[in-house]
Amino acid sequence: MDYQPVIDHMNECLKHEWTGVAQYSQASFLIEGVWREVYAKTFIENAEESFDHAKRVGEKISALGGVPVVTRNEIKQTRDLQEILKNSLEFESKAVEMYTKALELAEGDRALVVFLENILEEEQDGVDEFTKLLRGTEAMESVSTKSKSA
């Protein structure tokens, strides 16, 4: 199996995870007011999950003979809680999309498929959680409209 396409795409996943570390950490720093106690811990936990995924993906890239990237994508920053939650849902949805593609590229290597499925399941849990948090809000409605037009 030619692992280079998988390595290249996993490096894109890794960039996304590095972005999650920064974006979720920043959200935990910026959240203020009565919701700080509720959400600051949630965002730090999400940053830690992104860091865990980054470590696992980086190790796998190295094991496959690649060099893990150290760059990240641009982070979205805001003090508005609804916007932070919307950005979080978009981030998790993008991760699901990216790991789904990685799974397609890994077809034929069962161990790699299982590795990616485990991360994909955690990313889907994030989508589910942010979907529930946003349900019934204007932010959720704008995300739904955006995904339907894509």
Side-chain angles (χ1 to χ4, degrees):
M1 177 175 188
D2 177 13
Y3 284 103
Q4 196 56 52
V6 179
I7 290 168
D8 292 343
H9 189 72
M10 286 179 68
N11 262 321
E12 291 303 311
C13 294
L14 181 55
K15 280 174 60 176
H16 191 72
E17 297 295 359
W18 288 135
T19 304
V21 172
Q23 186 165 309
Y24 284 126
S25 295
Q26 185 70 347
S28 78
F29 305 151
L30 292 176
I31 195 76
E32 297 174 322
V34 296
W35 293 110
R36 178 167 179 73
E37 193 164 327
V38 175
Y39 286 104
K41 182 179 176 192
T42 297
F43 295 129
I44 283 296
E45 288 170 353
N46 278 282
E48 290 168 350
E49 180 179 285
S50 285
F51 185 62
D52 178 61
H53 291 172
K55 289 187 299 186
R56 290 162 49 193
V57 170
E59 287 291 344
K60 185 59 75 175
I61 289 168
S62 182
L64 295 173
V67 177
V69 297
V70 294
T71 56
R72 64 170 170 76
N73 302 315
E74 187 175 334
I75 65 168
K76 294 182 179 180
Q77 300 182 76
T78 180
R79 289 182 182 274
D80 180 80
L81 176 59
Q82 290 298 308
E83 195 171 341
I84 292 170
L85 294 171
K86 180 182 140 236
N87 292 342
S88 298
L89 176 58
E90 289 174 358
F91 180 85
E92 297 294 327
S93 296
K94 178 68 175 175
V96 166
E97 177 185 314
M98 294 178 81
Y99 284 105
T100 298
K101 181 174 179 184
L103 273 165
E104 293 169 10
L105 294 170
E107 196 61 44
D109 182 329
R110 185 68 189 134
L112 184 55
V113 165
V114 170
F115 169 83
L116 293 166
E117 284 175 341
N118 289 334
I119 296 175
L120 175 61
E121 180 181 25
E122 292 171 6
E123 298 294 0
Q124 184 60 54
D125 288 345
V127 168
D128 295 347
E129 189 61 29
F130 285 112
T131 297
K132 289 186 281 186
L133 285 169
L134 284 166
R135 188 164 287 135
T137 67
E138 286 181 32
M140 182 64 193
E141 291 163 14
S142 72
V143 171
S144 295
T145 303
K146 186 177 180 181
S147 66
K148 288 178 184 174
S149 64

